[in-house]
């Protein structure tokens, strides 16, 4: 079945460490996104990519980095510069610019919970 | 920049009854799309319903329907015949229309409303 796989589901990090969250999709989608979810704040966009080897900062990109070397993969690195990284992270994908905006429904992964010890 | 406001942090409804979740948004765009997503306790985000701003007719999907008031910038979700499986966090979201030449298709989310369906 087509879908989005995020790993790991739970991750613990010591302060000062970088960690990488994996996101893989087999939906043949061009666009991929990373959102952060905190209680009472909804989902906030960290980074997004419309095409391989290109990506854009979202609203809260500071302390995060991404790469898009393959269409299927969009890993997120949470660096030590991120002041408050404990959160739930959601990866999503959509068909991208091949379709009109309204047809670009986002499909989400199951999420990764990062806790800083 | 667009903003989405959900003024009801929590709501509850009896099984089989009807409930309406509120959402307002702020934008200067004339062409855009609105969505309701559901996040059950599993935390998997699921699309509930979608509305194109240029369509006057309100979208419906089985027991779910919207009341879209473009002038008032309001987009409420009505759930009829509520079921226990409807218990979830519901998010309202906005996407502006983006020509293919632009970097677009970002979703802007509200803070969410927790809905509890009681038996």
């Amino acid at each position: 079945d087509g879908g989005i796989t995020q790993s790991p589901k739970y991750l613990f990090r010591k302060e000062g460490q970088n960690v990488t969250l994996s996101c893989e999709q087999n939906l043949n989608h061009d666009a991929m996104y990373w959102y952060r979810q905190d209680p009472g704040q909804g989902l906030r966009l960290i980074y997004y990519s419309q095409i391989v080897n290109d990506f854009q900062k979202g609203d809260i990109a500071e302390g995060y980095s991404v790469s898009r070397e393959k269409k299927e993969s969009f890993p997120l690195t949470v660096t030590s510069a991120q002041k408050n990284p404990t959160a739930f992270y959601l990866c999503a994908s959509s068909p991208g610019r091949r379709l009109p905006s309204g047809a670009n429904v986002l499909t989400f992964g199951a999420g990764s919970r990062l806790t800083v010890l | 920049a667009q903003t989405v406001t959900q003024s009801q942090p929590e709501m509850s409804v009896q099984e089989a009854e009807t409930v309406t979740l509120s959402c307002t948004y702020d934008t200067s765009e004339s062409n855009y799309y609105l969505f309701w997503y559901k996040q059950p306790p599993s935390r998997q985000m699921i699309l509930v319903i979608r509305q194109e701003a240029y369509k006057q007719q309100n979208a419906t999907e089985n027991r779910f329907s919207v009341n879209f008031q473009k002038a008032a910038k309001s987009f409420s979700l009505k759930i009829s015949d509520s079921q226990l499986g409807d218990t979830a966090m519901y998010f309202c979201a906005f996407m502006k229309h983006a020509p293919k030449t632009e970097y677009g298709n970002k979703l802007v989310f509200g803070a969410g409303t927790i809905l509890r369906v009681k038996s």
Side-chain angles (χ1 to χ4, degrees):
Chain A
D1 290 336
I4 299 177
T5 301
Q6 288 188 241
S7 63
K9 189 169 183 177
Y10 299 97
L11 184 60
F12 298 89
R13 189 194 93 173
K14 294 182 180 179
E15 285 194 25
Q17 286 183 337
N18 292 355
V19 293
T20 298
L21 308 181
S22 171
C23 178
E24 302 278 333
Q25 55 98 359
N26 60 3
L27 298 166
N28 197 32
H29 284 172
D30 289 327
M32 297 188 74
Y33 312 79
W34 275 105
Y35 282 89
R36 170 178 170 142
Q37 184 176 11
D38 295 282
Q41 295 196 51
L43 279 69
R44 293 180 291 166
L45 183 65
I46 305 173
Y47 269 99
Y48 62 117
S49 168
Q50 294 280 13
I51 196 169
V52 173
N53 292 323
D54 191 32
F55 47 83
Q56 297 287 318
K57 292 183 179 180
D59 301 318
I60 55 165
E62 185 176 351
Y64 299 97
S65 66
V66 293
S67 63
R68 188 85 188 274
E69 297 176 1
K70 298 186 301 181
K71 184 176 182 177
E72 301 79 18
S73 178
F74 192 42
L76 174 73
T77 297
V78 184
T79 75
S80 56
Q82 169 51 233
K83 301 300 182 188
N84 184 20
T86 293
F88 188 65
Y89 292 87
L90 282 159
C91 179
S93 71
S94 70
R97 285 183 283 186
R98 292 181 283 118
L99 297 181
S101 293
N104 265 287
V105 174
L106 269 64
T107 299
F108 285 84
S112 294
R113 174 73 184 176
L114 172 63
T115 302
V116 174
L117 302 174
Chain B
Q2 290 78 31
T3 59
V4 178
T5 302
Q6 294 180 249
S7 58
Q8 306 152 313
E10 296 188 28
M11 294 191 72
S12 62
V13 63
Q14 284 296 128
E15 201 173 5
E17 293 188 347
T18 296
V19 64
T20 299
L21 308 184
S22 301
C23 173
T24 59
Y25 56 94
D26 187 25
T27 185
S28 58
E29 302 287 334
S30 59
N31 197 4
Y32 51 87
Y33 310 88
L34 296 162
F35 304 81
W36 279 98
Y37 275 86
K38 165 184 175 180
Q39 188 181 43
S42 68
R43 305 203 78 169
Q44 177 71 56
M45 294 284 284
I46 302 164
L47 177 69
V48 175
I49 201 164
R50 173 180 58 190
Q51 173 81 41
E52 291 90 345
Y54 61 85
K55 289 186 177 179
Q56 293 188 343
Q57 186 173 5
N58 289 324
T60 62
E61 286 288 341
N62 300 315
R63 297 184 294 108
F64 299 88
S65 62
V66 298
N67 183 5
F68 173 50
Q69 301 289 328
K70 190 172 185 179
K73 296 181 181 176
S74 172
F75 184 60
S76 61
L77 175 69
K78 185 171 83 171
I79 305 174
S80 304
D81 185 25
S82 296
Q83 300 175 0
L84 295 176
D86 294 333
T87 292
M89 174 84 88
Y90 286 81
F91 292 98
C92 179
F94 173 100
M95 177 190 289
K96 77 172 188 178
H97 173 74
K100 290 187 177 183
T101 52
E102 290 185 12
Y103 226 91
N105 302 314
K106 293 186 297 181
L107 267 181
V108 177
F109 286 87
T113 297
I114 297 172
L115 175 67
R116 295 186 175 87
V117 180
K118 301 178 179 179
S119 59

